[in-house]
Amino acid sequence: MTTVFRDTWWLTRRRLAIFLNQPGYLVVTLIQPAVWLFLFGNLFRRVVELPGFGVDNYLDYLVPGVLVMNALASSIWAGMGMLEEIERGTMNRLLTLPISRTAIMSAGLGEHAVASIVQSGIILGMGALGGATYPGGIVGMVILVASAILLGTAVASLSNALGMVAGERETIIGVNSFLLLPTTFLSSVFMAKDLMPGWIATVARFNPLDWAAQMGRSALSASPDWGLIATRGALLVVIAALALMVSVRTFRTYQRQV
Amino acid sequence: MTAREPRSPAVEARDLTKTYPRGVKALDGLTFEVAEGETFGLLGPNGAGKSTTIKILTTLAKADSGVARVVGQDVTRDPQEVRRRIGVCSPGFRAEPVGRGVGKLVAAGRLRRLDVVELRRRVSELLDRFGLADAASRKVRTYSGGMQRRLDIAMALVHRPRVLFLDEPTTGLDPEARTAMWQEIARLSRDVGMTVLLTTHYLEEADRLADRIAIVDRGRIVAEGTADQLKTELEGDGIDIELADATQAELARGVVASLPGIREVAVEQRRVTARAQDGAGAVPAALAALERAGIGVAAVSVTRPSLDDVYLRHTGRRFAEAALAASGGDA
């Protein structure tokens, strides 16, 4: 087990080195969350005036949602990095090293986790500048970021598996475009549950993005609902673990086509 | 460090078969052995099955059937143990062109779990040996093709592997860098006594570097031995007689063919070619016979067989034709 962690550590450093070597991509990664926050914060500012929304300041409501949505939107493209590794031949090189297969997959996730933490910092900071308040304090923020990382882990794992199996960019782009917006809008990221059409509220109950949003929002609020945080957190842990298992198993499919 | 089993080959491939999902048959019963300390060359054009063989032996791909063992370990039963003992350098297994020379070597050693002190020593040793010491702190992106290739090999050697897989080590290099790389590889097997499995589609490369050569054609080994053995198996030298007058070619063919010890006589315009066990000994008799028949000779030469002749004998094609066919067809 320690070897898995050690391999993951060195492979994550390797991924981050590659990431930092692409300045354009890096800049976009840092700016993107601020754009989300600014756009949606302004566009939907007045929804809090709807009776029954239950919040005075929309930014208070929006920041946790945008934070987890951003984790989804960036980690869903993880498969592209995987494809690039395959096309460049670096994946083959890694596979001939005596390192754990799990570590190869989780290193990609480690990279996303680090990016997620940095982006979360930016979103929380920008939100605060815009007037959002975080009564849940540091503990709330840590839980929020953890929920984003768990969600990102699940999504990035599946995206990696897809990249490995599909072997072409078009498939990833197609699947992501199809999933990204519906997943986001079939959740409580922008709109309070009580004000949604019933069917959307029902669908959202099964949406991992919604689990993460609820968990983070509650943790950051003045009176966290620990039961809700625990159940949503547990659900996220389970799907992240399952997704990682799926992605490690795809190595076998990959080996057949090498 | 390890108890070596005597006489167990460093690399062993037996009856390997592999068909890719789209129905492309890459390997069709491929069998060979590489002895400890030997440099073994798999020679064949692109698409012959060399890369697939390397992928199976380095645990990357799985054979449909057959047995592959490296340093005595079955590659499917204990792949991690095999990975610990091998180094791989292949155009299909590149390191990302990011970072600096020394950093890449250190990172390679980290993933091999070398301890820091040992690793530092090993890295500077490799940088010296591959002539990269001055460029160690330069970005890899600024390296020439030859330097990148040398760094790739150095990375594959960082953990002192028992077997080094060198897949197409000089493909894409300019002639000068290629010659330098050849010297490097020759030194590697001579000084370190490492087992090297080399694949190449350059006849000259196999001839110069490999202790033994196996010719791969359509997923099978069609001939195997030292370069000299393979050439000698052809039984004889080539004799090439250029006639003064092309109209006498058929007549000349009859004259030459009637001489004892001469085989495979062929005519092509003014040229009569043949094989003889002892080329130099057969030439005077041939010239005398031609003169008696009143046939004028413009030039005559005797050639030792080349690997290309060996390839032709075993596959029915010239090497260049096969390479052309491979590049024109599927990759």
Side-chain angles (χ1 to χ4, degrees):
Chain A
M1 206 57 195
T2 55
T3 62
V4 175
F5 285 119
R6 192 160 43 169
D7 291 346
T8 304
W9 165 248
W10 289 112
L11 288 172
T12 303
R13 285 186 47 159
R14 170 184 162 277
R15 298 277 319 190
L16 285 171
I18 297 173
F19 178 62
L20 292 174
N21 198 56
Q22 304 166 289
Y25 187 38
L26 183 66
V27 168
V28 170
T29 307
L30 296 180
I31 291 177
Q32 179 83 64
V35 172
W36 291 132
L37 200 62
F38 177 78
L39 269 183
F40 291 118
N42 277 281
L43 182 62
F44 296 130
R45 189 175 44 204
R46 297 188 58 197
V47 296
V48 285
E49 294 168 19
L50 292 171
F53 199 92
V55 182
D56 295 333
N57 182 356
Y58 186 54
L59 265 188
D60 285 0
Y61 182 85
L62 185 67
V63 165
V66 163
L67 196 145
V68 294
M69 181 203 77
N70 178 73
L72 169 72
S74 65
S75 54
I76 204 168
W77 296 105
M80 293 296 239
M82 178 65 68
L83 252 183
E84 198 182 329
E85 296 251 40
I86 290 173
E87 283 170 2
R88 209 165 35 193
T90 47
M91 177 57 70
N92 284 355
R93 203 177 80 81
L94 291 181
L95 288 173
T96 59
L97 295 176
I99 46 182
S100 124
R101 316 284 99 168
T102 309
I104 296 177
M105 276 304 185
S106 47
L109 308 176
E111 175 197 358
H112 278 276
V114 171
S116 230
I117 291 170
V118 174
Q119 289 182 321
S120 298
I122 292 173
I123 293 175
L124 287 167
M126 298 284 297
L129 283 178
T133 53
Y134 312 124
I138 295 291
V139 175
M141 291 186 200
V142 169
I143 291 173
L144 169 63
V145 174
S147 77
I149 290 175
L150 283 173
L151 178 71
T153 299
V155 173
S157 295
L158 293 177
S159 180
N160 281 338
L162 181 65
M164 207 168 236
V165 172
E168 53 187 31
R169 285 160 209 282
E170 289 74 10
T171 310
I172 300 180
I173 294 171
V175 170
N176 287 1
S177 310
F178 177 74
L179 287 179
L180 199 49
L181 280 181
T183 311
T184 306
F185 285 100
L186 294 173
S187 78
S188 61
V189 165
F190 301 116
M191 180 63 74
K193 274 260 171 71
D194 293 343
L195 298 178
M196 288 177 185
W199 70 272
I200 293 186
T202 307
V203 173
R205 283 176 51 198
F206 302 98
N207 183 350
L209 175 68
D210 192 58
W211 304 341
Q214 284 188 28
M215 177 178 162
R217 252 197 328 265
S218 180
L220 215 51
S221 71
S223 50
D225 176 348
W226 294 109
L228 179 122
I229 292 169
T231 53
R232 299 305 180 272
L235 281 170
L236 287 170
V237 168
V238 169
I239 60 156
L242 284 176
L244 181 58
M245 260 169 57
V246 168
S247 72
V248 172
R249 286 194 148 239
T250 53
F251 277 121
R252 277 182 215 160
T253 316
Y254 176 70
Q255 277 191 321
R256 271 197 290 277
Q257 64 198 19
V258 182
Chain B
M1 201 173 88
T2 49
R4 298 189 180 186
E5 294 161 42
R7 311 186 120 270
S8 120
V11 179
E12 192 182 354
R14 192 171 305 140
D15 286 325
L16 293 180
T17 66
K18 168 111 180 159
T19 303
Y20 283 109
R22 279 170 304 156
V24 182
K25 196 169 208 175
L27 298 184
D28 186 17
L30 186 120
T31 299
F32 68 91
E33 276 184 13
V34 183
E36 186 97 43
E38 183 178 42
T39 298
F40 188 86
L42 285 175
L43 172 67
N46 289 328
K50 304 187 302 294
S51 290
T52 305
T53 308
I54 294 285
K55 283 174 179 167
I56 290 170
L57 290 170
T58 56
T59 76
L60 185 57
K62 288 205 163 49
D64 297 339
S65 68
V67 178
R69 286 199 196 91
V70 176
V71 292
Q73 305 285 340
D74 191 304
V75 294
T76 53
R77 209 164 301 155
D78 196 351
Q80 289 296 56
E81 184 57 25
V82 169
R83 289 172 192 136
R84 270 191 276 278
R85 306 301 187 81
I86 62 172
V88 189
C89 185
S90 159
F93 304 50
R94 285 269 167 269
E96 55 289 334
V98 171
R100 296 159 202 280
V102 66
K104 302 214 64 106
L105 277 171
V106 169
R110 293 286 193 197
L111 287 174
R112 291 285 184 177
R113 308 202 180 106
L114 300 186
D115 80 58
V116 187
V117 181
E118 142 105 51
L119 178 57
R120 200 169 301 152
R121 205 151 29 95
R122 182 68 177 152
V123 164
S124 69
E125 185 184 316
L126 286 167
L127 287 169
D128 283 340
R129 133 155 247 155
F130 285 94
L132 294 167
D134 292 339
S137 53
R138 261 170 56 192
K139 290 201 167 179
V140 174
R141 205 183 295 145
T142 67
Y143 281 22
S144 70
M147 290 165 79
Q148 286 191 9
R149 206 61 64 89
R150 295 208 298 278
L151 179 64
D152 267 343
I153 296 186
M155 285 171 71
L157 291 177
V158 72
H159 58 298
R160 302 176 197 277
R162 295 261 301 270
V163 181
L164 176 65
F165 290 87
L166 275 180
D167 191 12
E168 307 279 356
T170 64
T171 300
L173 293 185
D174 59 60
E176 202 181 328
R178 171 170 305 153
T179 312
M181 185 59 80
W182 282 346
Q183 285 164 0
E184 206 63 67
I185 296 168
R187 212 152 58 93
L188 212 60
S189 51
R190 197 181 54 229
D191 299 354
V192 191
M194 188 181 303
T195 308
V196 179
L197 178 54
L198 169 86
T199 78
T200 181
H201 59 260
Y202 296 120
L203 294 163
E204 195 190 348
E205 188 163 290
D207 209 349
R208 284 191 48 166
L209 294 178
D211 299 324
R212 282 194 310 133
I213 296 169
I215 294 179
V216 191
D217 185 50
R218 300 184 177 100
R220 305 176 65 97
I221 303 281
V222 292
E224 190 185 323
T226 64
D228 273 344
Q229 276 170 0
L230 289 172
K231 291 170 186 172
T232 310
E233 263 174 32
L234 284 183
E235 295 186 334
D237 304 329
I239 300 173
D240 192 331
I241 302 168
E242 193 182 328
L243 303 174
D245 180 358
T247 59
Q248 291 181 311
E250 279 308 316
L251 183 62
R253 178 218 287 268
V255 171
V256 174
S258 68
L259 294 169
I262 290 196
R263 294 166 292 113
E264 297 175 37
V265 184
V267 168
E268 192 189 327
Q269 292 182 336
R270 304 175 0 138
R271 287 175 60 211
V272 178
T273 58
R275 293 211 162 276
Q277 190 69 263
D278 171 14
V283 163
L287 290 179
L290 287 169
E291 197 182 335
R292 272 199 302 280
I295 300 169
V297 172
V300 65
S301 63
V302 176
T303 48
R304 290 283 296 152
S306 69
L307 265 185
D308 199 13
D309 296 326
V310 176
Y311 187 82
L312 174 67
R313 154 68 71 87
H314 290 287
T315 67
R317 293 173 294 168
R318 282 278 164 201
F319 193 81
E321 284 169 33
L324 205 64
S327 62
D330 62 276

